[in-house]
Amino acid sequence: MSRQERSYASKLSEHLAYTVLKILNDNEGNMLLSEILEKLENTQEIRESEKERNPRGDIKWQTSMKFSAHMFVEAGYLRKKGGIWHITPEGEKALESGEQQCIEKVKKIYKEKIIEKKKKTDINNNKDGIESDKVDISEYESEVTSDKIDIDEYESLAKTSIKKYIDSLTPYQFQDLCAALIRGMGYYVRDVSPAGPDGGIDIIAYTDPLGGKPPRIKIQVKHYTTGKKIPEGDVQRLAGLVGNEDIGVFMTSAGFSRGCKIESYKRPQHIELIDYERFVELWVNHYDKLSEEDKLLLPLHPIYFLSQNNKSN
């Protein structure tokens, strides 16, 4: 690769990583990696040479973008969890400074972290210290892409396949899935609403088999497959059905608008919000406690990776 090509690839990856922040900021703060890549491909101008695959079989622009995104993670602007990427409050603020200033700050922070890591591991044995302008960020790309990025890919693939499966369910099948999760969490489900009007409550559960002990748990379920967000008005309506000794739970296969979280906090009633991401997290965490029948509603198979914290430097 020529110097000019390397320069283009580097600038492109930084631009795309910054664009990821903008995309997340415009989409309620979080998206699946697969959705981010699709949006980048459809909206950004990328040379054909960058659409080719590298020796590992990965698309070049995607690999380099993920490396730059890793720098944004190190800077605290971006967070990755289980294949879903989130913009942090610091990332939202960084967008206000503009692309060039934001990227330069990210690179500065990343260089400082590299220097600190070198000092701790004594890689260079440089008694006088390591100068920032002598650190080449690109030297660390292969380490990141062959390690952390692979795990991101697998997590994203897993989350995407689970999302497609959940999207294929009918509203009442997803409602049954939610009831199964509630049972797996140790609650006793008394009622699951049949087809037809339900008055805003789809599932009622208790903390004991007879329902004699408070709180009563009133659950509303919304199944969306189009990327639609739950508006805060829906949370307000649920709150109106939740008494002083009740807990209100809103479960959805989609996400919540930003106003929903604020609305749930300011209500005197306890209103719990469970979006797609949290639903899958709870399903995984409580999977072993589900009945064999309930497991079949969303069967999972665990895959284990060596923890990043345990790898030697």
Side-chain angles (χ1 to χ4, degrees):
M1 182 185 292
S2 68
R3 180 179 297 179
Q4 185 177 11
E5 289 173 327
R6 285 197 298 271
S7 176
Y8 168 77
S10 177
K11 290 183 183 301
L12 174 66
S13 69
E14 293 166 3
H15 165 71
L16 293 179
Y18 175 81
T19 303
V20 168
L21 284 191
K22 295 178 66 177
I23 290 172
L24 293 172
N25 194 55
D26 293 338
N27 287 271
E28 304 296 342
N30 61 84
M31 290 179 70
L32 282 166
L33 173 58
S34 57
E35 296 172 336
I36 293 172
L37 293 176
E38 182 179 1
K39 191 169 283 288
L40 287 174
E41 187 171 23
N42 292 336
T43 61
Q44 302 299 304
E45 292 186 8
I46 302 172
R47 289 179 185 175
E48 290 301 316
S49 60
E50 285 298 309
K51 296 180 181 180
E52 297 173 355
R53 294 185 181 273
N54 60 24
R56 284 166 48 94
D58 303 319
I59 297 174
K60 291 180 179 178
W61 72 264
Q62 293 184 6
T63 298
S64 57
M65 182 281 290
K66 291 167 191 171
F67 168 68
S68 290
H70 172 69
M71 293 194 296
F72 278 71
V73 171
E74 291 294 313
Y77 296 168
L78 186 65
R79 183 171 65 90
K80 304 175 187 178
K81 185 178 180 183
I84 297 178
W85 291 23
H86 305 256
I87 185 173
T88 66
E90 292 79 9
E92 293 176 4
K93 186 172 179 59
L95 287 174
E96 299 173 3
S97 64
E99 180 169 346
Q100 193 58 41
Q101 187 173 339
C102 176
I103 290 173
E104 289 304 318
K105 186 171 183 180
V106 165
K107 291 166 71 174
K108 180 177 182 292
I109 295 172
Y110 190 60
K111 278 187 177 183
E112 290 171 350
K113 292 202 171 188
I114 290 173
I115 292 170
E116 187 62 29
K117 182 178 179 180
K118 279 180 172 289
K119 287 179 179 178
K120 287 182 178 180
T121 56
D122 198 27
I123 292 176
N124 286 354
N125 295 317
N126 189 338
K127 297 180 180 180
D128 297 327
I130 304 164
E131 297 179 20
S132 177
D133 59 358
K134 294 183 179 180
V135 173
D136 183 1
I137 289 176
S138 63
E139 293 178 5
Y140 299 85
E141 183 169 357
S142 60
E143 174 187 343
V144 174
T145 56
S146 64
D147 196 10
K148 297 181 177 66
I149 285 178
D150 279 349
I151 295 177
D152 289 342
E153 287 281 6
Y154 293 132
E155 289 181 334
S156 175
L157 179 62
K159 279 289 174 69
T160 300
S161 63
I162 293 173
K163 185 72 167 70
K164 287 181 179 178
Y165 177 81
I166 291 178
D167 284 351
S168 71
L169 301 177
T170 68
Y172 290 102
Q173 287 174 324
F174 180 65
Q175 183 174 277
D176 289 339
L177 196 62
C178 291
L181 174 59
I182 295 299
R183 286 192 291 269
M185 294 173 70
Y187 298 101
Y188 298 86
V189 174
R190 191 194 72 180
D191 294 315
V192 178
S193 178
D198 53 32
I201 301 298
D202 299 294
I203 302 170
I204 295 178
Y206 293 96
T207 57
D208 68 285
L210 298 179
K213 298 178 181 179
R216 175 175 53 179
I217 303 166
K218 293 183 175 180
I219 304 163
Q220 186 171 10
V221 178
K222 291 282 188 183
H223 183 43
Y224 291 134
T225 61
T226 59
K228 182 178 178 182
K229 304 288 185 179
I230 302 296
E232 59 186 277
D234 284 9
V235 175
Q236 292 172 348
R237 283 186 283 276
L238 172 62
L241 300 172
V242 176
N244 293 333
E245 293 190 345
D246 297 334
I247 290 178
V249 180
F250 205 126
M251 305 178 75
T252 179
S253 55
F256 293 97
S257 67
R258 294 185 179 182
C260 286
K261 184 174 291 188
I262 297 173
E263 187 63 36
S264 68
Y265 286 162
K266 73 180 186 181
R267 288 281 168 176
Q269 306 96 328
H270 184 145
I271 305 295
E272 199 71 21
L273 304 181
I274 300 177
D275 59 7
Y276 162 76
E277 180 183 358
R278 191 174 177 208
F279 176 88
V280 174
E281 182 179 350
L282 289 171
W283 187 269
V284 170
N285 290 342
H286 295 275
Y287 191 70
D288 291 341
K289 299 175 183 177
L290 297 171
S291 69
E292 293 304 314
E293 181 180 0
D294 283 343
K295 285 180 180 178
L296 293 176
L297 296 177
L298 180 58
L300 301 180
H301 181 76
I303 299 177
Y304 299 98
F305 295 94
L306 180 63
S307 171
Q308 296 295 325
N309 294 332
N310 291 332
K311 289 196 174 184
S312 59
N313 292 323

